[in-house]
Amino acid sequence: MNPMAALGGILPLPAPANAYTPPTNPIVVIGEQFLAPYPVELKIQQKIFTLAENNFDVTDVNGSLIFKVKGKLFSIRDRRILLDAVGNPLVSLKQKILTVHRRWQVFRGESNSSDDLLFSVKKSSFLQLKTTLDVFLASNTSESVPDFRIKGGWHESGCTIYAGETIIAQMHRKHSLQTVVFDTDNFGVTACPNVDYAFIVTLVVILDEINADRSGDD
């Protein structure tokens, strides 16, 4: 599928060509249409004054909408849906309750069937001074070694996403007068070339959900 068609003719602008080294093989988890041969810069911003909590808009460097993240209205807070710019559901994010490692599962479309499971994310250990999340593809049933890993600080001002020892994306929290006054979340995300940036956005949203849930309440 042509990425331009998938995003309604809008593609994130490239960062400088020498900023990142592309992975040896493309990393595709959600879809090949979310690959680019250059670093992709995105902004994830929480929408304020919404009835459903933790809704996000994901835009490119020009402010053009790329993705939306929504929770179901009046539902419990453990379900999110990633949609494309025109509202088509891409994946569903669901937290498994009563798990000590705060496991989230991600399914294709709006499904919650095990047949449509793409990957899951959980804390690497119960007690952590610095957040580390392990990411397992659905095919990795043994989960002896994570396929990807997310590492971030206590206040989560930033995080780095790895495939093995290779950095595939980075996130940093952005602060402005609006984010201070309204306590909103505003993230800058850079996905390396040939890395599925819809996958990266989903991981950052899950990281934010897990950090917001440190009190232990589901």
Side-chain angles (χ1 to χ4, degrees):
M1 184 182 298
N2 188 320
M4 291 290 286
L7 296 178
I10 300 172
L11 275 179
L13 295 179
N18 60 355
Y20 293 89
T21 301
T24 303
N25 298 309
I27 293 175
V28 181
V29 178
I30 293 177
E32 291 184 354
Q33 67 268 38
F34 305 115
L35 294 179
Y38 47 76
V40 173
E41 301 278 356
L42 297 171
K43 183 173 75 171
I44 305 176
Q45 184 168 8
Q46 185 176 11
K47 297 173 67 176
I48 58 176
F49 302 132
T50 56
L51 292 175
E53 62 180 327
N54 284 14
N55 284 357
F56 295 90
D57 281 346
V58 183
T59 61
D60 66 12
V61 294
N62 291 322
S64 299
L65 185 66
I66 304 298
F67 303 115
K68 295 179 283 189
V69 180
K70 290 188 175 182
K72 290 217 170 185
L73 193 62
F74 304 127
S75 69
I76 55 177
R77 70 183 300 272
D78 66 351
R79 181 73 182 267
R80 300 284 174 264
I81 300 176
L82 177 72
L83 306 105
D84 65 15
V86 297
N88 297 313
L90 299 172
V91 291
S92 298
L93 296 61
K94 186 175 182 181
Q95 182 179 203
K96 292 190 69 175
I97 61 174
L98 303 178
T99 57
V100 296
H101 291 288
R102 291 291 181 262
R103 179 183 288 267
W104 282 73
Q105 294 178 308
V106 178
F107 302 86
R108 191 171 301 282
E110 294 186 87
S111 175
N112 59 4
S113 167
S114 59
D115 292 338
D116 293 314
L117 178 67
L118 293 176
F119 62 94
S120 61
V121 182
K122 71 178 184 67
K123 283 187 174 182
S124 60
S125 62
F126 178 62
L127 295 175
Q128 297 183 346
L129 293 178
K130 291 186 177 181
T131 302
T132 301
L133 306 181
D134 292 339
V135 183
F136 302 96
L137 297 176
S139 58
N140 185 357
T141 55
S142 69
E143 296 191 353
S144 56
V145 178
D147 298 284
F148 306 94
R149 181 159 282 175
I150 308 169
K151 296 182 180 180
W154 177 256
H155 295 290
E156 310 314 325
S157 58
C159 79
T160 303
I161 302 173
Y162 297 86
E165 299 299 320
T166 302
I167 294 174
I168 62 170
Q170 291 184 314
M171 177 275 285
H172 62 278
R173 190 185 294 272
K174 294 183 176 181
H175 297 285
S176 66
L177 179 59
Q178 182 189 54
T179 63
V180 172
V181 172
F182 295 109
D183 193 29
T184 59
D185 288 321
N186 191 349
F187 307 106
V189 178
T190 302
C192 290
N194 296 331
V195 173
D196 182 339
Y197 51 87
F199 171 57
I200 298 302
V201 167
T202 304
L203 294 180
V204 171
V205 171
I206 291 174
L207 173 66
D208 183 65
E209 290 286 346
I210 289 176
N211 288 333
D213 201 27
R214 278 210 176 93
S215 63
D217 299 326
D218 285 318

